[in-house]
Amino acid sequence: MTGVGVKGKQFFVLVRRPLAMLLCIVVLASGLNGCSRTGFAYNQIDWVLTFYLARHFDLDKQQKVELREMVDRNLAWHRQTQLPLYSDYLAALAASLDETFTPEQASIAYDEMLDFWDASMLHIIPDAQVFLSGLTDEQVQQMIQRMEENNQELFEEYSGVTEEERKANRDERTIKILEQFLGKLNAEQKQYISNSLGNMRDATQDWIENRRRWQLVFVQLVKEHPPEAEYRERLTNLYVYPRYYDEPEFQKTVDANLVAALDLTSGLINSLTPKQREGAKRRLNKYASDFRKLSAKSVSR
């Protein structure tokens, strides 16, 4: 597990995956569902999000209705306003693969994705505040318990008994995900990935501890239930500027790993064979087209 971050923020996918740009695209465009049809996958997000949120609490009937309305409302906004931006972004990224790709370009692409994330978070925060404000004391305790259960699951998934095992797990996960996007990697590319990941600090334990610190601040906010304006400001800081709560040493690790991840991303793109490059461009343009079409349609049930 290698954490990366930038601009005072952490992107949830990138915290769990070391390749800043390519892996985010994988999750964004094809990781939503095992089905390769982007439209089908995107249309299931409302159900997935509702289930994900609801599984953290035992909601009553009215809360379930309100949660579903919240998810539907925010996804409608996302489809209409954000998917066209994603489409343009992916099309531009596809075109950029024809040229030598630099770490600076990878950094710009990464920053743009963080901006997408911030826009979505800022839009959903008012509804999230209302939902969290309606939780009972019992539901807050359920949330705390399930957060820690999830911490344990994540640590087990992204760690290993020894440092060598953690590195092997990280290499295997990264190569597997990249091959889903780029096609089969050759031996030199796999070795390049392994060597590059080896230059990043293993931050699994630090990440879990930092996650727990953030969660403590979040839980305290939910328990306090401060006045509306203060609640909104603190919730915004938690979701849009989470690195405010990081320990200084963890921030240094995150920033150093980001630099290495951007170098890895640009280097790997530049190593692509003509077949891999055309395949990547084809997939990016297909996703761009799918997102553009989806933005004009209503959510299918």
Side-chain angles (χ1 to χ4, degrees), residues 199-214:
N199 293 328
M200 301 182 193
R201 178 182 168 186
D202 178 3
T204 306
Q205 184 62 50
D206 292 340
W207 174 68
I208 292 294
E209 291 175 359
N210 189 72
R211 176 185 171 89
R212 288 191 173 113
R213 283 192 294 271
W214 183 94

Side-chain angles (χ1 to χ4, degrees), residues 20-50:
M21 182 188 58
L22 285 178
L23 298 191
C24 185
I25 293 169
V26 171
V27 173
L28 174 68
S30 64
L32 303 174
N33 190 285
C35 177
S36 62
R37 292 173 53 204
T38 309
F40 176 82
Y42 186 85
N43 286 336
Q44 310 311 307
I45 298 179
D46 53 349
W47 294 101
V48 172
L49 287 178
T50 302

Side-chain angles (χ1 to χ4, degrees), residues 83-103:
L83 288 191
L85 300 178
Y86 296 175
S87 177
D88 292 343
Y89 170 84
L90 293 173
L93 189 57
S96 72
L97 296 184
D98 285 326
E99 306 295 334
T100 299
F101 206 79
T102 67

Side-chain angles (χ1 to χ4, degrees), residues 2 24 72 98 154 159 170 187 211 257 264:
T2 301
C24 185
D72 286 350
D98 285 326
L154 287 172
S159 67
R170 181 177 60 181
R211 176 185 171 89
N257 283 347
L264 169 54

